[in-house]
Amino acid sequence: MTASLALPTAADVDAAAQRLKGVAVRTPLVFSPVLSDRVGTRVFLKPETLQRTGSFKFRGAYNRIVQIPEGARRAGVVACSSGNHAQGVAAAARLLNMPAVIVMPHDAPALKRERTLALGAEVVGYDRATEDRDAIARAIATERGAVMVPPYDDKDVIAGQGTVGLEIIEDLKALGLAPDLVAANTSGGGLIAGIALAVKARVPGAHVVACEPAGFEDHARSFRSGVRERNAAPTGSFCDALLAPTPGEITFAISRDLVGEAASATDDEVARAVAYAFTELKLVVEPGGAVALAALLEGRLQAKGTVVIVLSGGNVDAETFTRCLRG
């Protein structure tokens, strides 16, 4: 099956980096003395919280949308998202003067919905537990002649997300270092697959670890079985950004070979990581963006040598953030 898939390569990540140059934020790679002291090894943070729209999602969305031919842009784009991909698509479409429709669950955080609307996108709601978001989006795209922009299972989206890994490698190289371990949160798998493409092409011995909310460890189970496993429930974690039902077909074809390792953290552990990022690292991170950090803090990663933790997003509403700080 995978032989027929159009899989991105490290060269595609390099090409995406050129398209994103001067458009996406090249987020810093930050050495953290306090975190390094706590876990006993050198730890760097990649805060995609500082990216356009507050998460890494802008990278993949823009890389996909900018390649739509001029003649096909008038009808716009359609995407499915609980918020971060929504904002990334909306922002990319706005930069390219294209309309965007986002199919978003009714239980998506209000902040993410409001910001998606503020970026000029039209939002169509659905019930995460009873309705098929992909079917809704396909129907809209067919009716309007618009282009679908998948949240993760797309060659160009994955390549765009992979620029996170490319920047990690380049910035560490400038310091005379190479990563021993890179950990990032995963849902459908676009970020972790893209990072793996970039990292493993340049540092084959590096470990890339997919981090998931407890109870939604579809990557971990899929790595063990060798096939794409599904989560039992569509909801049940406050890591709203990480609730894809199963790894993507394209993303898993990559991560099965280049990642193969996973770790998880409970909601309580993630909440503590969000609070730790605020009090100790001086960073605002949403729950779905803090699972890799939580896994590190809970000792679930083999933290040796040079470790990089990707903080994938910072779009958290005040109520959820306060809940995390109060414990």
Side-chain angles (χ1 to χ4, degrees), residues 229-253:
E229 303 287 351
R230 296 187 68 85
N231 290 318
T235 62
S237 169
F238 80 152
C239 298
D240 65 277
L242 304 181
L243 301 183
T246 186
E249 186 178 14
I250 299 173
T251 61
F252 186 63

Side-chain angles (χ1 to χ4, degrees), residues 62-275:
Y62 187 86
N63 189 53
R64 174 67 184 90
I65 295 171
V66 77
Q67 294 183 75
I68 296 174
E70 291 284 347
R73 291 185 178 183
R74 180 174 297 179
V77 293
V78 180
C80 304
S81 172
S82 66
N84 284 337
H85 181 58
Q87 292 173 83
V89 169
R94 189 176 199 175
L95 285 171
L96 296 166
N97 298 311
M98 297 170 62
V101 179
I102 310 298
V103 179
M104 183 178 288
H106 294 307
D107 63 353
L111 177 68
K112 293 181 178 180
R113 179 185 177 88
E114 291 165 3
R115 288 186 173 175
T116 301
L117 289 167
L119 286 164
E122 176 186 346
V123 172
V124 174
Y126 77 98
D127 188 317
R128 199 194 296 256
T130 62
E131 295 183 284
D132 184 342
R133 70 178 190 176
D134 294 319
I136 295 170
R138 284 195 298 270
I140 294 171
T142 299
E143 178 186 351
R144 304 189 184 191
V147 175
M148 288 280 291
V149 182
Y152 49 85
D153 218 20
D154 177 271
K155 178 176 180 285
D156 296 317
V157 170
I158 295 167
Q161 319 305 27
T163 59
V164 173
L166 178 61
E167 289 173 13
I168 288 170
I169 293 296
E170 290 176 344
D171 289 351
L172 284 177
K173 185 177 180 180
L175 298 173
L177 300 171
D180 293 288
L181 183 150
V182 178
N185 313 301
T186 190
S187 181
L191 176 62
I192 201 70
I195 286 174
L197 283 173
V199 170
K200 299 291 277 190
R202 293 162 175 81
V203 187
H207 293 276
V208 180
V209 182
C211 297
E212 307 172 285
F216 295 84
E217 299 108 327
D218 47 298
H219 275 78
R221 297 195 312 276
S222 299
F223 290 152
R224 289 194 295 269
S225 70
V227 297
R228 295 158 62 221
E229 303 287 351
R230 296 187 68 85
N231 290 318
T235 62
S237 169
F238 80 152
C239 298
D240 65 277
L242 304 181
L243 301 183
T246 186
E249 186 178 14
I250 299 173
T251 61
F252 186 63
I254 298 166
S255 61
R256 180 177 55 194
D257 295 332
L258 298 184
V259 181
E261 301 178 54
S264 66
T266 66
D267 276 7
D268 286 344
E269 291 165 346
V270 171
R272 289 197 292 270
V274 170

